[in-house]
Amino acid sequence: AQKVTQAQTEISVVEKEDVTLDCVYETRDTTYYLFWYKQPPSGELVFLIRRNSFDEQNEISGRYSWNFQKSTSSFNFTITASQVVDSAVYFCALIVTSGTYKYIFGTGTRLKVLA
Amino acid sequence: SQTIHQWPATLVQPVGSPLSLECTVEGTSNPNLYWYRQAAGRGLQLLFYSVGIGQISSEVPQNLSASRPQDRQFILSSKKLLLSDSGFYLCAWSVGGSLQYFGPGTRLTVT
């Protein structure tokens, strides 16, 4: 069975601090994808990144960076120099490629960035 | 470019009333379509998915149903709403791959 765990329910930081959101996944499949989505107060899910199971390279996009480590089954997300606009709920998700591409979502981490 | 629409944006319905939420996708053909529900302060739960017209798979037993009368239209329905049906309903689509794109959502309150 597949599972995604986001142990941090809520995190509060002061603007300009760095913050890391943790994501731990479980799957027996060797081919899978991992995702991060952002859900601002409006509710719509905004796609941030997709990473396949064969690509362990870390990625940086502006203030965002992602650390994928298969050895620890983790796909952590770091925001550098956080801003108030980063306040949102962040979801980590897993899809295995055997089957019908059904997302398994974590329960989300609510990030509050205080001015 | 592809866009996904959901309506209504918000809905307040009494217990026992029927429900119909609609989702349409533009700019793509033969998408996979999905309905998710997010209860207050909770994660997202997949309710239904469809790989083609008339093909519906249910993930969670409940008093909701889904239909896909046209290629790019996905409808979520209920004959009698329960209080526990309150939540934020998101429709999503994907084509030929793993990435799903989500609609703006419908916030349903059952009173």
Side-chain angles (χ1 to χ4, degrees):
Chain A
Q2 292 84 29
K3 184 178 180 182
V4 175
T5 301
Q6 294 180 256
Q8 304 153 308
T9 305
E10 185 169 314
I11 301 175
S12 292
V13 298
V14 177
E15 205 169 19
K16 298 184 183 178
E17 286 185 355
D18 298 348
V19 58
T20 295
L21 309 182
D22 298 332
C23 173
V24 175
Y25 63 93
E26 296 176 27
T27 181
R28 293 183 179 178
D29 285 60
T30 57
T31 305
Y32 52 88
Y33 290 89
L34 294 164
F35 302 79
W36 276 95
Y37 282 86
K38 174 182 180 180
Q39 187 178 41
S42 62
E44 185 171 351
L45 263 70
V46 177
F47 167 71
L48 296 178
I49 189 171
R50 173 178 58 184
R51 174 66 76 224
N52 74 54
S53 54
F54 299 107
D55 183 0
E56 282 194 77
Q57 277 192 335
N58 292 332
E59 179 152 339
I60 298 174
S61 176
R63 296 184 297 107
Y64 296 170
S65 62
W66 290 269
N67 183 357
F68 176 30
Q69 291 192 338
K70 290 179 72 172
S71 61
T72 56
S73 297
S74 64
F75 187 42
N76 296 337
F77 172 31
T78 297
I79 302 175
T80 303
S82 59
Q83 300 176 1
V84 173
V85 293
D86 295 327
S87 297
V89 180
Y90 291 85
F91 289 98
C92 182
L94 164 73
I95 275 188
V96 296
T97 56
S98 57
T100 53
Y101 289 97
K102 294 182 286 184
Y103 274 14
I104 307 298
F105 278 95
T107 51
T109 297
R110 182 177 298 278
L111 174 64
K112 293 185 177 179
V113 181
L114 308 173
Chain B
S1 64
Q2 302 88 358
T3 56
I4 178 169
H5 304 280
Q6 286 187 246
W7 64 88
T10 60
L11 191 60
V12 180
Q13 292 282 97
V15 168
S17 63
L19 173 73
S20 181
L21 303 182
E22 190 164 344
C23 169
T24 59
V25 181
E26 296 177 357
T28 186
S29 296
N30 197 29
N32 292 340
L33 296 172
Y34 308 82
W35 277 113
Y36 291 86
R37 176 170 61 198
Q38 183 179 25
R42 307 282 294 277
L44 289 98
Q45 179 185 43
L46 178 64
L47 301 176
F48 301 95
Y49 67 92
S50 170
V51 298
I53 296 174
Q55 301 178 60
I56 309 294
S57 295
S58 173
E59 289 295 299
V60 182
Q62 65 238 316
N63 69 322
L64 300 172
S65 62
S67 62
R68 185 171 177 174
Q70 300 180 42
D71 181 45
R72 289 169 289 179
Q73 184 184 31
F74 204 23
I75 297 172
L76 183 69
S77 303
S78 174
K79 292 182 179 178
K80 289 185 177 182
L81 283 169
L82 306 173
L83 284 174
S84 57
D85 292 323
S86 293
F88 189 56
Y89 289 82
L90 284 159
C91 181
W93 69 272
S94 68
V95 172
S98 59
L99 180 57
Q100 293 180 19
Y101 298 92
F102 287 82
T106 295
R107 197 166 301 279
L108 171 66
T109 303
V110 182
T111 60

